[in-house]
Amino acid sequence: MLTLFDFDSTAVIALIGVAVLNQFATVDADLMRGWTAQEMAVRIPIDNWNSYSSVLQSSPIITKAVTSATVYTIGDFIAQRTEGKTIGELDRPRITRSMLAGLIGHGPLSHVWYSVSENVFTNVMHLHGWWGTIVKVAIDQTTWGPFWNNTYILLLGLMKRDNLENIFGEMKRTTIPLLKSGLKLWPLAHCVTYGLVPLENRLLWVDLVEIIWVTILATAAAGGVEEESEEKSLH
């Protein structure tokens, strides 16, 4: 049976999805009348990219926040589906918490991280060339990666109104496993991030990879709750 909070959560998720799809679907609505299918296939992606770049330039933090919110919604949805839940069994408040973590956490914080780190890498550490990329990736994996993983756990815990002892216990439980899991995905991805992608588009590239990573993060975060429930059931 759906509660009022379930309904509100579903509505928020649906509104974001509709807004994103509407932006992509209507960017050329007034111009594409009479276009052939081939012209639409070529022009719509280009015009969408130009539209995104324009919005990114004028409102970088808001754009990155909405981008991350969308990705974190998708990631948690995929995580729950891979856990075997049907559409009707989806934990909508959990999806909403992940969405908000992307909106208020990952997007804005990533904007700051990539801007500040690039300034440090270039003007302070003078990292250039392929060897510089390797150093950048190593620093990212040992600083920003663990910081954001724990921030995600913290945000979810606060939104669930969990006590700080449990939240910090969850951070302790997941830090090393998530660091090890990250080493299987992010070093190669970040060779592209720091070696090929322009600064202004790094978060967009990272968010594409994040769909995979959020699935891991969300599953890890949910695992603590499930383990705690199992322990309580044994006592």
Side-chain angles (χ1 to χ4, degrees):
M1 181 177 180
L2 287 177
T3 65
L4 179 60
F5 184 68
D6 288 334
F7 178 79
D8 290 342
S9 301
T10 304
V12 171
I13 295 168
L15 284 172
I16 286 185
V18 169
V20 172
L21 291 174
N22 181 69
Q23 175 63 27
F24 281 95
T26 62
V27 66
D28 284 316
D30 294 331
L31 300 175
M32 68 182 184
R33 294 183 180 88
W35 284 6
T36 65
Q38 183 177 3
E39 287 174 325
M40 292 174 63
V42 173
R43 286 292 303 278
I44 289 178
I46 294 175
D47 288 345
N48 273 314
W49 174 256
N50 291 337
S51 176
Y52 175 82
S53 297
S54 177
V55 174
L56 181 63
Q57 185 175 4
S58 62
S59 305
I61 297 179
I62 294 176
T63 303
K64 292 173 182 179
V66 173
T67 302
S68 287
T70 303
V71 165
Y72 272 68
T73 301
I74 295 171
D76 198 287
F77 174 83
I78 294 174
Q80 293 196 47
R81 292 290 286 156
T82 57
E83 291 165 15
K85 295 181 179 179
T86 65
I87 297 296
E89 296 172 337
L90 290 177
D91 186 342
R92 293 172 181 81
R94 171 180 153 181
I95 294 177
T96 302
R97 289 192 292 268
S98 285
M99 177 197 68
L100 291 174
L103 181 70
I104 66 177
H106 187 261
L109 289 177
S110 293
H111 172 79
V112 174
W113 163 253
Y114 289 117
S115 297
V116 173
S117 65
E118 183 62 20
N119 180 59
V120 172
F121 292 154
T122 303
N123 300 319
V124 179
M125 301 179 69
H126 304 291
L127 298 177
H128 304 286
W130 64 267
W131 65 271
T133 298
I134 293 175
V135 176
K136 292 176 184 179
V137 172
I139 293 174
D140 184 291
Q141 286 298 282
T142 55
T143 56
W144 167 248
F147 170 78
W148 168 245
N149 293 343
N150 283 318
T151 300
Y152 178 80
I153 300 296
L154 174 63
L155 288 173
L156 293 189
L158 292 176
M159 284 187 278
K160 289 187 291 185
R161 298 181 181 179
D162 204 352
N163 62 65
L164 291 178
E165 182 180 356
N166 288 343
I167 294 174
F168 290 131
E170 188 68 8
M171 289 181 180
K172 183 178 179 181
R173 181 187 72 83
T174 59
T175 294
I176 298 302
L178 286 175
L179 185 61
K180 290 180 179 179
S181 296
L183 291 175
K184 300 175 184 178
L185 173 67
W186 286 114
L188 181 59
H190 280 325
C191 284
V192 177
T193 304
Y194 292 107
L196 299 175
V197 180
L199 175 61
E200 64 271 15
N201 292 322
R202 282 180 184 169
L203 182 58
L204 179 60
W205 158 250
V206 168
D207 272 338
L208 293 175
V209 184
E210 281 274 353
I211 293 178
I212 301 173
W213 184 242
V214 176
T215 303
I216 298 172
L217 266 182
T219 301
V225 177
E226 292 172 0
E227 289 178 3
E228 184 178 341
S229 299
E230 290 175 1
E231 288 176 3
K232 288 181 180 179
S233 67
L234 291 175
H235 289 81

